Amino acid sequence: MNTLPQQLANGLFLGSMYGLIAIGYTMVYGIVQLINFAHGEIFMTGAFGALTVFLALPDGISMWIALPAMLIGGALVATLIAVGAERFAYRPLRGAPRLAPLITAIGLSLAIQQLVFNLYPDAKSARVFPQLPFGPYHLGSIRIQSGDIFLLIAAPLCMAILAFFVRLSRTGRAMQATAQDPDTAQLMGIDTNRIIVIAFAIGGVFAAVAGVAYGVKYGSVQYDMGFAAGLKAFTAAVLGGIGNIYGAMLGGVVLGLAEAMATAYISDVPGMEQFGGQGWASVWAFVLLILVLLLRPQGLLGERVADRA
């Protein structure tokens, strides 16, 4: 039990990253009811875009200057890929049966992953990611790395900005109208195609922030890191209530805490020794998803489409 505060903190940090990625899922699903399984790869390309910007900067540049440039570069790359996916892969299938865009999303995910694998120098191995120039810090028995601090600032800030944008801005209200009834919204003068593109772009920006957070937290990025992270982020979105901004973040935190607690303590339960450790983290994450779907299929905060904020 002496490690409990550290494990709770680890779960919070991990869950904040899942929540950032999950918001991209929830934005797209809330408007077009599409599960964009390529979103994990958009998260990955955001991280590689940020790394590319850093490598292009002069040697010895301060990380305080490099970090904003990396965030902008990663966001641009992820947004371009997300918007391109919507325009050329998903929009032509908008009236097709739901299975068609789902299969397309899976295929697009594999295509993006292999594209980075083949085109990025040394992508076959983990690429070292620059670290923030402060930390670690200790809060009692809790060790907090610089990447964890970045996550704790970025996750709630991004969630709050998006919630206010959706609730208070003209574009946000148009997004709510499009989510509720796209045909009626179009009759009222709303350009629904533009609104859908904005939703994909916002998801790309959030994925890029999460990609930078992953890099500074773990110190490296890999071409295949998006698949597992994206799948868990989708799980987080479902846990919290897909289509719900706050639910996506709550689901991410719950999932992160469940992973941290299970990997740390399951092996201490008599008869469960072989089911603990990091290798079982994903198993317990999906066990939690199944339990939530059985007991509360709409998610912890309930599904929202017309008013996600």
Side-chain angles (χ1 to χ4, degrees):
M1 294 303 294
N2 292 333
T3 64
L4 180 60
Q6 183 65 61
Q7 295 303 329
L8 289 173
N10 292 342
L12 178 61
F13 304 145
L14 182 62
S16 297
M17 184 171 61
Y18 289 157
L20 274 173
I21 310 172
I23 287 176
Y25 275 111
T26 218
M27 286 292 296
V28 171
Y29 182 86
I31 293 179
V32 292
Q33 282 74 64
L34 168 69
I35 300 173
N36 180 18
F37 276 122
H39 191 66
E41 269 54 53
I42 294 171
F43 152 78
M44 178 268 293
T45 57
F48 271 89
L51 178 60
T52 302
V53 169
F54 178 80
L55 295 176
L57 293 173
D59 292 339
I61 190 171
S62 169
M63 193 60 183
W64 296 111
I65 299 174
L67 182 62
M70 292 167 62
L71 286 169
I72 294 171
L76 286 174
V77 171
T79 300
L80 285 173
I81 293 176
V83 170
E86 189 281 328
R87 179 62 185 88
F88 298 108
Y90 299 138
R91 188 181 299 183
L93 298 174
R94 199 171 292 167
R98 290 197 175 188
L99 188 59
L102 180 63
I103 294 174
T104 300
I106 296 173
L108 183 62
S109 170
L110 295 173
I112 294 173
Q113 184 181 121
Q114 290 304 309
L115 187 66
V116 174
F117 177 81
N118 286 293
L119 295 182
Y120 202 91
D122 301 323
K124 299 174 180 62
S125 57
R127 294 300 307 266
V128 176
F129 204 88
Q131 299 298 289
L132 297 177
F134 58 87
Y137 301 103
H138 290 84
L139 184 63
S141 61
I142 302 174
R143 178 184 173 89
I144 304 174
Q145 303 282 0
S146 57
D148 300 327
I149 296 174
F150 179 82
L151 267 171
L152 288 181
I153 295 172
L157 181 62
C158 289
M159 181 184 67
I161 291 172
L162 180 59
F164 279 112
F165 172 78
V166 171
R167 184 177 295 276
L168 300 178
S169 71
R170 183 183 180 90
T171 301
R173 290 193 293 271
M175 294 172 78
Q176 294 184 42
T178 303
Q180 186 171 10
D181 191 333
D183 294 330
T184 303
Q186 198 162 15
L187 290 173
M188 297 296 290
I190 296 174
D191 186 347
T192 54
N193 284 330
R194 172 178 167 272
I195 295 301
I196 292 170
V197 168
I198 291 173
F200 272 87
I202 291 173
V205 171
F206 276 66
V209 174
V212 174
Y214 181 100
V216 297
K217 177 175 173 60
Y218 295 109
S220 64
V221 292
Q222 306 85 34
Y223 79 96
D224 58 350
M225 72 184 198
F227 180 77
L231 199 57
K232 289 182 182 179
F234 172 68
T235 302
V238 175
L239 282 176
I242 195 162
N244 189 313
I245 292 174
Y246 301 126
M249 189 59 67
L250 175 63
V253 170
V254 170
L255 184 64
L257 289 171
E259 276 197 34
M261 294 297 102
T263 55
Y265 298 117
I266 285 291
S267 58
D268 294 335
V269 178
M272 300 284 285
E273 292 83 0
Q274 69 271 34
F275 299 116
Q278 191 61 40
W280 284 84
S282 297
V283 174
W284 293 114
F286 292 113
V287 167
L288 175 63
L289 173 64
I290 293 170
L291 290 175
V292 170
L293 290 177
L294 288 173
L295 300 175
R296 188 174 171 81
Q298 70 272 37
L300 298 174
L301 296 185
E303 179 180 337
R304 286 185 182 178
V305 174
D307 181 10
R308 295 169 311 284

